[in-house]
Amino acid sequence: MQNINEIEELIKLISRLPGLGPKSAKRIVLKLINNRDELVKPMASTLAQVYKNVTRCNSCGSLKSNLNGCVNCESQKEKYTKICVVEDIADQWSIENSNIFQGYFHILGGTISSVGQRKEDLLINSLVERVIREGIEEVILATSATVEGQTTAYYIQDSLKNTNAKVTKLAQGLPVGGEIENLDDGTLFSAFKNRANLNSNSD
């Protein structure tokens, strides 16, 4: 293979994407090069616009456009009483595509025990603020059934103890060690339908 620095660098970058290795990256790069006008030019322009205009909302954690604001926060046509808390945007998309849940979403941006992740980096404080501000009646913790996900869920539950919101978590249908974005619609439906109440019943 010809050692062209620009191509080598592009292959390295693409191979870092989820589900892609060096071989897949090489095929993608060849496809791009062979379709410069149809793919490379518009893709480069679009990526530049995404880099410039798309950021993460500091309130809800969803993606937003700097030109139009956060749809998740500002453009809700309906007033909801439930909010679903997920680890990342891929989890939100999976739940939205299943049409199981009707309500607000809150994206933490990771878990407490994730490598390099601190509690301060997650949007837990803004979650508490949203629950109080929006008069949320139920907070559904849709974190993964991993040690990190469950640790994060317990911390959020404790953070919400002084609010009036009922705190539930996904239950049956969510396998131990399972990640939300990898679940099928049937499993997600069961997990939402059988979610468990986490509020304390102590006097």
Side-chain angles (χ1 to χ4, degrees):
M1 191 178 88
Q2 293 175 296
N3 294 320
I4 301 176
N5 291 335
E6 292 86 349
I7 293 178
E8 291 289 338
E9 185 63 27
L10 185 56
I11 290 173
K12 289 179 182 178
L13 289 172
I14 293 177
S15 65
R16 292 167 60 182
L17 296 175
L20 296 177
K23 289 185 178 180
S24 298
K26 289 176 183 178
R27 288 195 294 269
I28 292 172
V29 168
L30 286 175
K31 179 70 173 179
L32 291 172
I33 292 173
N34 290 331
N35 296 271
R36 299 166 63 94
D37 292 333
E38 295 85 359
L39 292 176
V40 176
K41 189 174 182 179
M43 184 179 292
S45 176
T46 300
L47 285 173
Q49 291 300 312
V50 169
Y51 181 80
K52 178 182 178 181
N53 296 320
V54 178
T55 57
R56 187 171 176 233
C57 177
N58 291 327
S59 178
C60 73
S62 186
L63 294 177
K64 70 170 185 175
S65 168
N66 293 332
L67 302 177
N68 302 318
C70 179
V71 175
N72 201 37
C73 289
E74 301 170 5
S75 301
Q76 293 285 358
K77 296 180 180 179
E78 298 183 45
K79 172 68 176 177
Y80 296 114
T81 60
K82 294 181 176 64
I83 189 168
C84 181
V85 182
V86 296
E87 294 174 15
D88 55 45
I89 293 168
D91 295 338
Q92 177 189 357
W93 289 351
S94 295
I95 295 171
E96 282 181 329
N97 290 337
S98 69
N99 293 317
I100 294 168
F101 174 71
Q102 294 296 320
Y104 299 120
F105 281 94
H106 191 87
I107 300 89
L108 298 171
T111 56
I112 291 174
S113 300
S114 297
V115 177
Q117 192 71 272
R118 304 175 302 164
K119 291 191 289 289
E120 296 78 10
D121 297 326
L122 304 179
L123 296 181
I124 296 176
N125 289 337
S126 67
L127 169 64
V128 177
E129 293 172 1
R130 289 185 72 194
V131 168
I132 296 173
R133 183 175 66 249
E134 302 292 338
I136 297 298
E137 297 176 4
E138 181 182 4
V139 177
I140 303 172
L141 301 180
T143 54
S144 298
T146 60
V147 173
E148 293 84 0
Q150 296 308 301
T151 299
T152 304
Y154 288 131
Y155 182 81
I156 294 173
Q157 178 188 355
D158 186 65
S159 299
L160 293 168
K161 64 184 179 182
N162 293 325
T163 70
N164 295 322
K166 177 173 70 172
V167 182
T168 61
K169 71 181 184 70
L170 302 192
Q172 297 175 9
L174 186 60
V176 174
E179 297 184 350
I180 298 297
E181 64 176 294
N182 296 325
L183 301 180
D184 59 79
D185 290 354
T187 303
L188 276 173
F189 178 80
S190 178
F192 267 89
K193 184 177 181 181
N194 297 290
R195 60 185 181 272
N197 192 344
L198 296 179
N199 292 79
S200 173
N201 293 321
S202 60
D203 296 331

